[in-house]
Amino acid sequence: MMSPRQSLLANAAVLLALLAPAARGAGPAAPLYPGTVPDSHAGDVTVRVYLSHDAPAKVTAWYAKRVGALTAADGNTLWNADSADTLSGRPLGAVDVDATVERVGRVTMDQSTVVRALKDMTMTKDIGVFCEFMVRKPAQAEQSGSSGQSANGESGGAGSQQLEQMRQQLAEANRQLLASVSPEDRKIGRMSDLFEGLREEVAGEQHGHTKQDLIAVYEKYKHLETAWYPTVKTADGLESYDRWLLARDKARLNAKRQKAAAPTVAASADMSALAARIQAAAAAGRMDEVRALGARMRGAMATQQGASNRAKAVVLADHWDYWLAFLKDLDAHAYRTRIWINTAPASWGY
């Protein structure tokens, strides 16, 4: 026979066991990974988004110990079913031809459980946790397969001979093109738009920056192409920080160039107006006016030349450090893994 103390403890244990499922259902669908940064503009009432500097393997291993192994099947199920706009705020790398987005997740509450919890048949969605990360695709082979076989290695039949001939012609054209392009140029050509500004500096050949300089910078910052960034709220909607920063810095540089070019444009307009007046005065035989306007024209030409030289100096200035600062800023906001965690259905307001 149990003592009063033992009986009290046993009853408490039963009560806790009964309440445990409800408590689990009332909280987030999964625990928050340590050290994450919330992406405050991403997600919605049903899901929260977080960013982590840690490698995907470390993050997924941590969740595997707490909610079970994360799988691609669950990750894609959760991503497709989530009511949040999962395409908003996607970084450049997520749509880059050299990177692919991989998702792994764990369903912690299936659709039927969600429906029963909300008593709403329209809320048929799994909830849980899933992680996104980007993986760089291996470089495509520079040489095609052996001739006389189709791309999948099978001999082509009569109906595919024409296609096989076209494939061989394209492969030969590709070989010739690759032979004419240096390995450096191929590497530079595969760089994303994040390195567009530095590419232009090298292409301009104005300030001594070489292809080797650009490749060295790329090796230091190429991880930015497969990173996740906080989401920025703009007048046009949600954007990833890398897209927003690139657009902002390009706009700032263009505005600086346009400001420098404005006096040249104004001087050119003055010269056009003076030329029209000189032509009209000459046609009317007002030679004194022609001479006076001619003197003004020479002054306008000198002004225009000075403005043009100043504008040229701004446009052709060395912007290498400007774009290095852009990459440094971007690096400070780059994360390796993005984590989505559903909130408790009871908090959705349905």
Side-chain angles (χ1 to χ4, degrees), residues 23 87 156 160 187 237 253 259 287 298 302 328 331 338 342:
L87 294 178
S160 63
K187 192 164 192 174
L253 190 55
K259 183 178 179 180
M287 302 313 297
R298 289 189 291 275
K328 186 176 181 180
D331 196 25
R338 184 160 72 164
N342 285 108

Side-chain angles (χ1 to χ4, degrees), residues 22-71:
R24 287 196 298 270
L32 180 60
Y33 184 78
T36 55
V37 174
D39 189 349
S40 57
H41 294 303
D44 60 17
V45 70
T46 70
V47 66
R48 297 288 182 262
V49 184
Y50 304 89
L51 300 166
S52 174
H53 287 296
D54 287 346
K58 185 176 181 180
V59 176
T60 55
W62 187 89
Y63 274 109
K65 293 179 180 179
R66 288 158 179 83
V67 299
L70 276 61
T71 67

Side-chain angles (χ1 to χ4, degrees), residues 285-296:
R286 301 191 300 272
M287 302 313 297
D288 289 343
E289 185 179 351
V290 169
R291 286 190 287 272
L293 290 172
R296 289 180 59 184

